[in-house]
Amino acid sequence: MYAVYQTELDGKVYEKYYFTDIRGDHKLYNEELADIKEDVLENTKKIKTDFKGFIKKLAQDNTTDSANHSNSLSAMAVVSEPSGGYYRTYSWKFYHPITRLQAGTYTSTLHFDRKSSSANVDGKTGSVWDIASFNQYEVKSYRINQLTTRNDVNYASEKIVSYGPYDDAGYTVGVDLSGLVSGNAWTFSVGAVITNNVSSIANKYGKWTWTHTSSYMQNPFVTKPGLRVTNTSGNLAIKTSHSLHASYGATHSTGVVTTYIPDR
């Protein structure tokens, strides 16, 4: 990780994390630093002129306090949630290993929305969270052939109630989160790309692979998977990771990022 941008928006803290491939000299190149500065200035400009519109855009695209996850007994009080939920954005730049040309930029925004803080979860009082992610790969010099996303909640106090999407042959893909509270559904378009769902409720992770067919993936290529998760103790926690197979044959990985959300 090379940089973090943080600002407060109407009582909510918005954070964006910037990553890049580690190159041989472990240095941040001037053009990369310039890109980060330009993005920060653009975000600041948008926030100052129309912060409500900025948040609305985040919600349409579909966190803030960071602490250790706890599996201890739930506290009596439940931490209040901002009205719009929590957002955390991560951004990575990927490079061709030989030419050093920037392949593209991958950005992922997680939106955490607590649907209930007093649900009956297997005889315990717990929270119900919908976790939606907005993931986008933007081509700079090279396209990708395949993208894999994994969202993992394998903690003792958490479990998956539902997730989406399921397997799909392409074009319009649907997510329908259900169970314990009212449903939450949305769709997104992947073009002529196959969605392969390899999620596991028993092992507490959502995992999807998108693979191009006869034509290239759309640019930008966008996915919007989601999970409905329960939590009965401590902070809500999720581990996310992504891997991208580029058109020149290399596979790039974001590594695993863990996000903690204050809850019980």
Side-chain angles (χ1 to χ4, degrees), residues 186-232:
W186 64 88
T187 61
F188 59 98
S189 174
V190 294
V193 171
I194 295 173
T195 301
N196 182 24
N197 164 47
V198 286
S199 304
S200 172
I201 288 182
N203 293 303
K204 301 184 181 182
Y205 66 81
K207 184 178 180 180
W208 304 269
T209 297
W210 287 274
T211 307
H212 83 87
T213 52
S214 57
S215 59
Y216 283 115
M217 290 180 167
Q218 299 174 130
N219 181 35
F221 181 66
V222 174
T223 66
K224 301 180 184 180
L227 302 173
R228 175 161 289 181
V229 175
T230 60
N231 178 43
T232 56

Side-chain angles (χ1 to χ4, degrees), residues 131-157:
I131 307 172
S133 58
F134 179 90
N135 309 306
Q136 175 175 280
Y137 177 77
E138 296 177 85
V139 174
K140 180 72 172 181
S141 304
Y142 301 96
R143 294 179 180 269
I144 56 171
N145 300 320
Q146 190 176 77
L147 165 67
T148 298
T149 290
R150 175 168 172 149
N151 294 327
D152 193 318
V153 293
N154 191 18
Y155 298 92
S157 63

